[in-house]
Amino acid sequence: MTDTVRQHHRHNPPAGEIPVPHGPEVGNEHGHYPAGGATEQERTIFAHLTHPDDCYTADGVYWADLPFRKRVAFVNKVQNEETKKELAAIGRMMKADPLSPLSWYFRNAVLPGAGLGLEGYVLFSIGNLEPLFKAAWPTCWGKKPTECDANWIASVTYLEVVGIMVGQTAVGIIGDWIGRRWGLIQDAAIMFVGLLMITASWGLNLNGWVICYAWSLFFYGFGVGGEYPITATSSMENAVSAGKLSTREDRLHRGRKVTMAFLMQGWGQLINQAVLILLLLILHHGDGNPPYGTTTVQWIWRLSFAIPAVGTLWLVYYRAYKMPHASRQLAAAKKKNNVTGYDVESLRLAGTFFGGRLLATAGTWFCNDVFFYGNKLFQAQFIAVISNNPSSVLTGWIWNLYNVIVSLAGYYVASILIDNKFYGRKMMQQVGFLMCFIMFIIPAFNYEYYTSPAGIKSFQAMYFLSSFFNQFGPNSVTFLVAGEVFPTPIRASAHGFAACIGKSGALLASVLYNYIDTQTKFYVVPWFGLAGMFLTWLFLPDTTGLDLKEQERRWAYIRSGRDSEYHGIAIHPKHLSLWERLRGVGKNYNPELDIKQKIEDMREEWAGKERLRRQREAGGEPAGPEELDDEDWTEQVNEYFRQTTDEGLVTGEGSEKGKSPARELRLSEKSGSESA
């Protein structure tokens, strides 16, 4: 192959000018293939595009088609080489600047996940502050409030969750309708205003303050809910894969990239708990034990919300001025389909073709949130037995800090293994659900023993293990796959819907637990883990190692009503759910036919690039900032397309019915030059 020559032209032509993908054709050597498959010349030229070496063997066999032993050897070889390459890169970075790996992590994990970090800080602060409020204002937050309405006390949780659910759905639609960038800026602005409202919430009496506090949380929750679909989709569609035919980084590390952003939620929880502990020790002027003065409590909780307000204001600035291209891939997808607003047709088709995936993502998220909320059941029980001072708010906060650290470890292990082809998304979620089920079912049927001094250590271990496997499992995977298994035009909507259904699981738990005792809770909760594992096994496809560009290619065929003509790896049995395989979705998988299709699709894409480039040059327009160089288009590929198209014009041979866009482009150029 010749060296890569970057071409300054757009990945997609103007709206309405690119035709639907052509199916395989039989013809001559000029890109129109003999019945036996693509020519050797074409295989050689396009090998690095159609058969990247991290997915295919030297013989052109996809890794999932290899016999088991060869598959293990191939995958291990690729992963070992990638690990060595990354370690060498880290070594070079540290040699040049010892702190450069930290700056890389800040750019690639902290910044993309900053919104989720702030969200984790604030939302978990609500639960952390409740025992402090109960200690300071027992007539309002106690078990039998006399000064406040019990319904409004309960509404603090309900309105927060409902606000998140509304935001997840609404901002998911906004993200697909107006754009990812607008959604990112809007969410940060709403969260900033919401934090100001929470910090300044007040009332003529305690009940009035609770009402103001609850509605402020609802408003803030709307912005928080929007963070889920917007952060997930923008993390997936950033410059790593946007604008390019295919990237090695996307295939090998997409899951890690998204999970590293998501785990900032865990850091938000950790920082919040640490800040509250420090504020209590500083302002309470003692060892953190009760009684707590109301003035001190006021300062603690208001300062704890004022701190993230500063970070959120900076986030508004960063998203408004430093993320100008967040909507680029969505805009490209809309141009392909000549859509200017919300792509209703894609939504309809997604419901037809991906209904099982929607059930998988929404259903498993629902089960996970019941578990995630149910995990908190352990805390009060084992703290009461283990601690010498269970009435101290500080004691509960310290134990919660331990739990957050364990959870954070689960996030990081998930980011390491989520792209592993032998573990990956689907297996990780199934194992996580299974382990959570086990960690709850054991104490459910021997509750008295595990809550006694004799069994409390085991109870504590199961509590921490359930936290670990919840993060190293469904909590991380649901966030990733809820957007990953759907096409670009409706990705944020699908993610937002799944997240909203998931959050209804938390709402169900918060309501249900008010009416059943602790023993009954342990009988109820485990079965959601079993249900989540079953839904994952039956309905969730495994997208580990699958390039999102290949999914978009399949979607182009679906969108044009020619789903049966797609033969690529997006319908390989490895990347389909059991439900999809039973319905025969993978029956058209055919590697030989797919090679032909890929080359013809690239020809069409090249023609569109050429057309747009020439139009801009003719108009004297510079390339837009979103028109990045495309590293996948080499000089040899471009020259091959030019030569075969020109020869096709001379012989009268071309693509379907002689109306290839490439052919039309060259014909118009020839006519123009002859006229001149």
Side-chain angles (χ1 to χ4, degrees), residues 301-343:
W301 77 263
R302 292 185 191 277
L303 281 175
S304 72
F305 287 123
I307 292 170
V310 177
T312 308
L313 181 60
W314 175 86
L315 188 63
V316 176
Y317 158 78
Y318 180 82
R319 289 179 173 180
Y321 293 99
K322 301 297 182 180
M323 299 181 69
H325 311 312
S327 298
R328 182 175 62 224
Q329 189 163 323
L330 175 66
K334 286 187 175 183
K335 284 183 178 180
K336 279 187 177 182
N337 299 316
N338 196 24
V339 173
T340 55
Y342 190 85
D343 196 341

Coordinates of all heavy atoms in Angstrom, one line a residue, residues 301-343:
W301 N -24.9 21.6 54.1 CA -25.6 21.1 52.9 C -25.6 22.2 51.8 O -25.5 21.9 50.6 CB -27.0 20.6 53.2 CG -28.1 21.6 53.4 CD1 -28.5 22.1 54.6 CD2 -28.9 22.3 52.4 NE1 -29.6 23.0 54.5 CE2 -29.8 23.1 53.1 CE3 -29.0 22.2 51.1 CZ2 -30.7 23.9 52.5 CZ3 -29.9 23.0 50.4 CH2 -30.8 23.8 51.1
R302 N -25.6 23.5 52.2 CA -25.6 24.5 51.2 C -24.2 24.6 50.5 O -24.1 24.8 49.3 CB -26.1 25.9 51.8 CG -27.5 25.9 52.2 CD -28.0 27.2 52.6 NE -29.3 27.1 53.3 CZ -30.5 27.1 52.6 NH1 -30.5 27.2 51.2 NH2 -31.6 27.1 53.2
L303 N -23.2 24.5 51.3 CA -21.8 24.5 50.8 C -21.6 23.3 49.9 O -20.9 23.4 48.8 CB -20.8 24.6 51.9 CG -20.5 25.9 52.5 CD1 -19.6 25.8 53.7 CD2 -20.0 26.9 51.5
S304 N -22.1 22.2 50.3 CA -21.9 21.0 49.5 C -22.5 21.1 48.1 O -22.1 20.4 47.2 CB -22.5 19.7 50.2 OG -23.9 19.8 50.2
F305 N -23.6 21.9 47.9 CA -24.2 22.1 46.6 C -23.6 23.3 45.9 O -23.6 23.3 44.7 CB -25.7 22.3 46.7 CG -26.5 21.1 47.1 CD1 -27.3 21.0 48.2 CD2 -26.4 20.0 46.2 CE1 -28.0 19.9 48.5 CE2 -27.1 18.8 46.5 CZ -27.9 18.8 47.7
A306 N -23.0 24.3 46.6 CA -22.4 25.4 46.0 C -21.1 25.0 45.3 O -20.8 25.6 44.2 CB -22.2 26.5 47.0
I307 N -20.4 24.1 45.8 CA -19.1 23.7 45.2 C -19.3 23.1 43.8 O -18.6 23.6 42.9 CB -18.4 22.6 46.2 CG1 -18.0 23.3 47.4 CG2 -17.2 22.0 45.4 CD1 -17.5 22.4 48.5
P308 N -20.2 22.1 43.6 CA -20.4 21.7 42.2 C -21.0 22.7 41.2 O -20.8 22.6 40.0 CB -21.3 20.5 42.3 CG -22.0 20.7 43.6 CD -21.1 21.4 44.5
A309 N -21.6 23.7 41.8 CA -22.2 24.8 40.9 C -21.1 25.5 40.2 O -21.2 25.8 39.0 CB -23.0 25.8 41.8
V310 N -19.9 25.7 40.8 CA -18.8 26.3 40.1 C -18.3 25.5 39.0 O -18.1 25.9 37.9 CB -17.7 26.6 41.1 CG1 -16.4 27.2 40.4 CG2 -18.1 27.5 42.3
G311 N -18.2 24.1 39.2 CA -17.7 23.2 38.2 C -18.8 23.1 37.0 O -18.4 23.0 35.9
T312 N -20.0 23.2 37.3 CA -21.1 23.1 36.3 C -21.1 24.4 35.4 O -21.3 24.3 34.2 CB -22.4 23.0 37.0 OG1 -22.4 21.9 37.9 CG2 -23.5 22.7 35.9
L313 N -20.8 25.5 36.0 CA -20.7 26.8 35.2 C -19.5 26.7 34.2 O -19.7 27.1 33.1 CB -20.5 28.0 36.1 CG -20.4 29.3 35.4 CD1 -21.6 29.6 34.6 CD2 -20.1 30.4 36.4
W314 N -18.4 26.1 34.7 CA -17.3 25.9 33.8 C -17.7 24.9 32.7 O -17.3 25.1 31.5 CB -16.1 25.4 34.5 CG -14.9 25.0 33.6 CD1 -14.0 25.8 33.2 CD2 -14.7 23.7 33.1 NE1 -13.1 25.1 32.3 CE2 -13.5 23.8 32.2 CE3 -15.3 22.5 33.1 CZ2 -13.0 22.8 31.5 CZ3 -14.8 21.4 32.4 CH2 -13.7 21.5 31.6
L315 N -18.5 23.9 33.0 CA -18.9 22.9 32.0 C -19.8 23.6 30.9 O -19.7 23.2 29.7 CB -19.7 21.8 32.7 CG -20.1 20.6 31.8 CD1 -18.8 19.9 31.4 CD2 -21.0 19.6 32.6
V316 N -20.6 24.5 31.3 CA -21.4 25.3 30.3 C -20.5 26.0 29.3 O -20.7 25.9 28.1 CB -22.3 26.3 31.0 CG1 -23.0 27.2 29.9 CG2 -23.3 25.7 31.9
Y317 N -19.4 26.6 29.8 CA -18.5 27.3 29.0 C -17.8 26.3 28.0 O -17.6 26.5 26.8 CB -17.4 28.0 29.8 CG -16.1 28.3 29.1 CD1 -16.0 29.3 28.2 CD2 -15.0 27.5 29.3 CE1 -14.8 29.5 27.5 CE2 -13.8 27.7 28.7 CZ -13.7 28.7 27.7 OH -12.6 28.9 27.1
Y318 N -17.3 25.2 28.6 CA -16.5 24.2 27.8 C -17.3 23.6 26.7 O -16.9 23.5 25.6 CB -16.0 23.1 28.8 CG -15.2 22.1 28.0 CD1 -13.8 22.3 27.8 CD2 -15.8 20.9 27.6 CE1 -13.1 21.4 27.1 CE2 -15.0 19.9 26.9 CZ -13.7 20.2 26.7 OH -12.9 19.2 26.0
R319 N -18.6 23.3 27.0 CA -19.4 22.7 25.9 C -19.8 23.7 24.9 O -20.0 23.3 23.7 CB -20.6 22.0 26.6 CG -20.3 20.8 27.4 CD -21.5 20.2 28.0 NE -21.2 18.9 28.6 CZ -22.1 18.1 29.2 NH1 -23.3 18.5 29.4 NH2 -21.7 16.9 29.7
A320 N -20.0 24.9 25.3 CA -20.4 26.0 24.3 C -19.3 26.4 23.4 O -19.5 26.6 22.2 CB -20.9 27.2 25.1
Y321 N -18.0 26.4 23.9 CA -16.9 26.9 23.1 C -15.9 25.9 22.7 O -15.0 26.2 21.8 CB -16.3 28.1 23.9 CG -17.2 29.3 24.0 CD1 -17.9 29.5 25.2 CD2 -17.4 30.2 23.0 CE1 -18.8 30.6 25.4 CE2 -18.2 31.3 23.1 CZ -18.9 31.5 24.3 OH -19.8 32.5 24.5
K322 N -15.8 24.8 23.3 CA -14.8 23.8 23.1 C -15.3 22.5 22.4 O -14.5 21.6 22.2 CB -14.0 23.5 24.4 CG -13.4 24.7 25.1 CD -12.3 25.3 24.2 CE -11.7 26.5 25.0 NZ -10.7 27.2 24.2
M323 N -16.5 22.4 22.2 CA -17.1 21.2 21.5 C -17.9 21.5 20.3 O -19.1 21.3 20.3 CB -17.9 20.4 22.6 CG -17.1 19.9 23.8 SD -18.1 18.9 24.9 CE -18.4 17.4 24.0
P324 N -17.4 22.2 19.3 CA -18.2 22.7 18.2 C -18.6 21.6 17.2 O -19.6 21.8 16.5 CB -17.2 23.6 17.4 CG -15.8 23.1 17.8 CD -15.9 22.6 19.2
H325 N -18.0 20.4 17.3 CA -18.3 19.4 16.3 C -19.1 18.2 16.9 O -19.1 17.1 16.3 CB -17.0 18.8 15.7 CG -16.1 19.9 15.2 ND1 -16.6 21.0 14.4 CD2 -14.8 20.2 15.4 CE1 -15.6 21.8 14.2 NE2 -14.5 21.3 14.7
A326 N -19.7 18.3 18.1 CA -20.3 17.2 18.7 C -21.5 16.6 17.9 O -21.8 15.4 18.1 CB -20.9 17.7 20.1
S327 N -22.1 17.4 17.0 CA -23.2 16.9 16.2 C -22.8 16.5 14.8 O -23.7 16.2 14.0 CB -24.3 18.0 16.1 OG -24.8 18.4 17.4
R328 N -21.6 16.4 14.5 CA -21.1 16.1 13.2 C -21.6 14.8 12.6 O -22.2 14.8 11.5 CB -19.6 16.2 13.1 CG -19.1 16.0 11.7 CD -17.5 16.1 11.6 NE -16.9 15.1 12.4 CZ -15.9 15.3 13.3 NH1 -15.5 16.6 13.4 NH2 -15.4 14.4 14.0
Q329 N -21.5 13.8 13.3 CA -21.9 12.5 12.8 C -23.4 12.4 12.6 O -23.9 11.8 11.6 CB -21.4 11.3 13.7 CG -21.6 10.0 13.1 CD -20.8 8.9 13.8 OE1 -19.7 9.1 14.2 NE2 -21.4 7.7 13.9
L330 N -24.2 13.0 13.5 CA -25.6 13.0 13.3 C -26.0 13.8 12.1 O -26.9 13.4 11.3 CB -26.3 13.6 14.6 CG -27.8 13.8 14.5 CD1 -28.5 12.5 14.4 CD2 -28.3 14.7 15.7
A331 N -25.3 14.9 11.9 CA -25.6 15.8 10.7 C -25.3 15.0 9.4 O -26.1 15.1 8.4 CB -24.8 17.0 10.7
A332 N -24.2 14.2 9.4 CA -23.9 13.4 8.3 C -24.9 12.4 8.0 O -25.3 12.1 6.8 CB -22.5 12.8 8.5
A333 N -25.4 11.7 9.0 CA -26.5 10.7 8.9 C -27.7 11.3 8.3 O -28.4 10.7 7.5 CB -26.7 10.0 10.2
K334 N -28.1 12.5 8.8 CA -29.3 13.1 8.3 C -29.2 13.5 6.8 O -30.1 13.4 6.0 CB -29.6 14.3 9.1 CG -30.2 14.0 10.5 CD -30.7 15.3 11.2 CE -31.3 14.9 12.5 NZ -31.9 16.1 13.2
K335 N -28.0 14.0 6.4 CA -27.8 14.4 5.0 C -27.9 13.2 4.1 O -28.4 13.3 3.0 CB -26.4 15.0 4.9 CG -26.3 16.4 5.4 CD -25.0 17.1 5.2 CE -25.0 18.5 5.7 NZ -23.7 19.2 5.4
K336 N -27.4 12.1 4.5 CA -27.6 10.9 3.7 C -29.0 10.5 3.4 O -29.3 10.1 2.3 CB -26.9 9.6 4.4 CG -25.4 9.5 4.3 CD -24.9 8.2 4.9 CE -23.4 8.1 4.7 NZ -23.0 6.8 5.2
N337 N -29.9 10.8 4.4 CA -31.3 10.4 4.2 C -32.2 11.6 3.9 O -33.4 11.5 3.9 CB -31.8 9.8 5.5 CG -31.0 8.5 5.8 OD1 -30.8 7.7 4.9 ND2 -30.6 8.3 7.1
N338 N -31.5 12.8 3.6 CA -32.3 14.0 3.3 C -33.3 14.4 4.3 O -34.4 14.7 4.0 CB -32.9 13.8 1.9 CG -33.4 15.1 1.3 OD1 -32.8 16.2 1.7 ND2 -34.4 15.1 0.4
V339 N -32.8 14.3 5.6 CA -33.7 14.7 6.7 C -33.2 15.9 7.4 O -32.0 16.1 7.6 CB -33.7 13.5 7.8 CG1 -34.5 13.9 9.0 CG2 -34.3 12.3 7.2
T340 N -34.1 16.9 7.7 CA -33.7 18.1 8.3 C -34.1 18.2 9.7 O -33.5 18.9 10.5 CB -34.3 19.3 7.5 OG1 -35.7 19.2 7.4 CG2 -33.7 19.4 6.1
G341 N -35.2 17.6 10.1 CA -35.7 17.6 11.5 C -35.4 16.3 12.2 O -34.4 15.7 12.1
Y342 N -36.5 15.8 12.9 CA -36.4 14.5 13.6 C -36.7 13.4 12.5 O -37.6 13.5 11.8 CB -37.4 14.5 14.7 CG -37.2 13.2 15.6 CD1 -36.3 13.3 16.6 CD2 -37.9 12.1 15.3 CE1 -36.1 12.1 17.4 CE2 -37.7 11.0 16.1 CZ -36.8 11.0 17.2 OH -36.6 9.9 17.9
D343 N -35.9 12.4 12.5 CA -36.0 11.3 11.6 C -37.1 10.3 12.0 O -36.8 9.3 12.6 CB -34.6 10.6 11.4 CG -34.6 9.8 10.1 OD1 -35.7 9.5 9.6 OD2 -33.5 9.4 9.7

